[in-house]
Amino acid sequence: MTSQSAAPIKVIYDTDPGIDDAMALLFLEYAPQIDLVGITTVLGNASIDTTTHNALYLKQLFDIAAPVARGAGKPLVVPMVEEPHFVHGRNGLGEVPVPETLSVQEHELPAHRFIIDMVRKHPHEIVIVAVGRMTNLALALREDPGIAELVKEVVIMGGAFGFYGHSGNVTPVAEANIIGDPHAADEMFAAPWPVVAVGLDVTQECVMTTAYMQELREKGGKAGQFFWDISRFYEDFYRRATGIDGIFVHDSSAVAYLLDPSLFTTRAGPIKVVTEGIAIGQTIQKSALRSFPPTPWDGLPDQKICTAVDGPRFLDLYFQVIVEGAAARA
Ligand code: BDR
Ligand code: CA
């Protein structure tokens, strides 16, 4: 873990809650090294109304100070498709009841302007952790391209690069956050800010088993119980879809990279996203191991992808942060 005496890292969390999104939000909120300065929402696991409502509900339920700014309700170019209710439930939180009326309100700015505003107020200090579609990031870049050089780092959960056979979860070659808005992802990878893509290559190498979730429920206070409740639906989906006994740890893997990059092995190189055809949503990093004739990757910035993870150490870190964070707030 990074030193806790250093100034906390200012984070904007761009998210589509979402079960694993909710688990990653508390990971950020409870990590002592993080100063969560904003939550921005995007469509994805559910509609923008639902993901925004869920983010507000989580803010209220866990007394999170960060404001919630509503983001994009549709992708840049590709048509809307039905949300994956079979993964996160109709309400995005595994069918666990969410009150209709909340006591907290949305921020007055739309997500992409909130991002621009915060980056301009805190140049070189903000890390964006983006675990939904990249639409808000692309809209922010389109409106104010200069922010790219003022953002400290962008850590995304998204993409799949074929390591350990992990190449897609929506199609054989596409991951959900990227295929949901491939044009936005392509623009995001092309911008001159440092991006780390934490893709299926590592998130599907890490499983929170039912036994792990049970222990988290016992020791993780209100958060642990909540995670248990919302993840029952998600676990059923994964059991049916992949045969695993537990859940993949997608969005929290991006947070883990931020808290302790030594958990991951990375590889650098420019990345393009396929935006049409049967491979739409595929993420491809140009190899540095050989030379090619001119390609569309030329001139793009090197971005990092995660190629391996120390799963046990990551799961221990998550457990420790949640249990200690919950105890401190009990
Ligand atoms: C990603 O898609 C969503 O279902 C999850 O929240 C995660 O961000 C995994 O492909
Ligand atoms: Ca997500």
Side-chain angles (χ1 to χ4, degrees), residues 15-19 21 40-56 68-75 80-86 88-93 98 106 132-133 135-136:
T15 177
D16 59 336
I19 292 159
D21 299 73
T40 51
T41 62
V42 66
L43 87 154
N45 291 325
S47 71
I48 190 62
D49 284 344
T50 302
T51 59
T52 306
H53 190 76
N54 288 350
L56 288 165
V68 173
R70 171 186 290 255
K74 60 181 174 60
M80 303 270 285
V81 292
E82 218 202 322
E83 295 104 19
H85 299 307
F86 51 97
H88 295 263
R90 287 229 144 250
N91 70 354
L93 289 176
V98 175
E106 292 175 30
R133 299 175 187 196
T135 321
N136 294 331

Side-chain angles (χ1 to χ4, degrees), residues 2-309:
T2 52
S3 161
Q4 294 185 11
S5 55
I9 308 165
K10 290 186 171 47
V11 170
I12 295 177
Y13 182 54
D14 191 73
T15 177
D16 59 336
I19 292 159
D20 60 320
D21 299 73
M23 294 180 68
L25 171 61
L26 269 289
F27 194 19
L28 279 171
E29 173 72 5
Y30 287 0
Q33 313 92 305
I34 301 296
D35 174 14
L36 185 62
V37 296
I39 301 166
T40 51
T41 62
V42 66
L43 87 154
N45 291 325
S47 71
I48 190 62
D49 284 344
T50 302
T51 59
T52 306
H53 190 76
N54 288 350
L56 288 165
Y57 174 53
L58 295 166
K59 173 178 163 63
Q60 176 178 302
L61 186 63
F62 291 101
D63 202 15
I64 297 173
V68 173
R70 171 186 290 255
K74 60 181 174 60
L76 295 181
V77 178
V78 297
M80 303 270 285
V81 292
E82 218 202 322
E83 295 104 19
H85 299 307
F86 51 97
V87 185
H88 295 263
R90 287 229 144 250
N91 70 354
L93 289 176
E95 308 294 2
V96 167
V98 175
E100 265 177 46
T101 311
L102 301 174
S103 57
V104 292
Q105 262 115 47
E106 292 175 30
H107 194 270
E108 66 272 15
L109 289 178
H112 69 286
R113 296 229 167 87
F114 177 86
I115 292 170
I116 292 170
D117 206 47
M118 289 301 284
V119 171
R120 292 256 165 223
K121 270 193 195 130
H122 304 282
H124 310 291
E125 283 186 58
I126 300 276
V127 173
I128 302 175
V129 176
V131 299
R133 299 175 187 196
M134 304 302 142
T135 321
N136 294 331
L137 277 62
L139 290 172
L141 284 169
R142 283 180 176 195
E143 192 161 305
D144 186 352
I147 60 164
E149 276 160 5
L150 301 175
V151 167
K152 189 171 174 193
E153 191 170 43
V154 179
V155 184
I156 71 155
M157 189 281 128
F161 297 85
F163 289 84
Y164 317 105
H166 302 304
S167 55
N169 60 359
V170 174
T171 78
V173 293
E175 182 279 326
N177 290 340
I178 304 297
I179 198 172
D181 195 340
H183 297 83
D186 197 49
E187 291 179 26
M188 184 277 306
F189 282 126
W193 52 16
V195 177
V196 183
V198 184
L200 299 181
D201 314 81
V202 288
T203 69
Q204 294 195 156
E205 284 293 299
C206 242
V207 175
M208 286 180 177
T209 61
T210 312
Y212 179 98
M213 295 303 294
Q214 257 159 358
E215 205 182 337
L216 197 59
R217 175 178 60 169
E218 280 157 28
K219 302 192 177 142
K222 183 172 158 183
Q225 181 65 52
F226 183 72
F227 296 160
W228 173 263
D229 294 342
I230 61 173
S231 62
R232 296 309 80 212
F233 190 99
Y234 201 49
E235 207 178 282
D236 279 349
F237 162 74
Y238 275 115
R239 195 166 288 114
R240 276 182 280 112
T242 70
I244 63 167
D245 173 32
I247 57 175
F248 288 137
V249 195
H250 294 304
D251 294 347
S252 290
S253 296
V255 178
Y257 178 87
L258 184 59
L259 296 179
D260 186 356
S262 79
L263 292 168
F264 297 87
T265 307
T266 60
R267 185 179 82 177
I271 298 169
K272 292 239 15 111
V273 178
V274 179
T275 53
E276 56 189 13
I278 61 163
I280 189 168
Q282 185 174 16
T283 44
I284 307 171
Q285 187 185 51
K286 185 184 173 193
S287 168
L289 296 178
R290 59 158 300 152
S291 62
F292 297 95
T295 72
W297 284 259
D298 296 347
L300 293 176
D302 278 357
Q303 308 291 17
K304 284 187 191 155
I305 64 169
C306 290
T307 59
V309 59

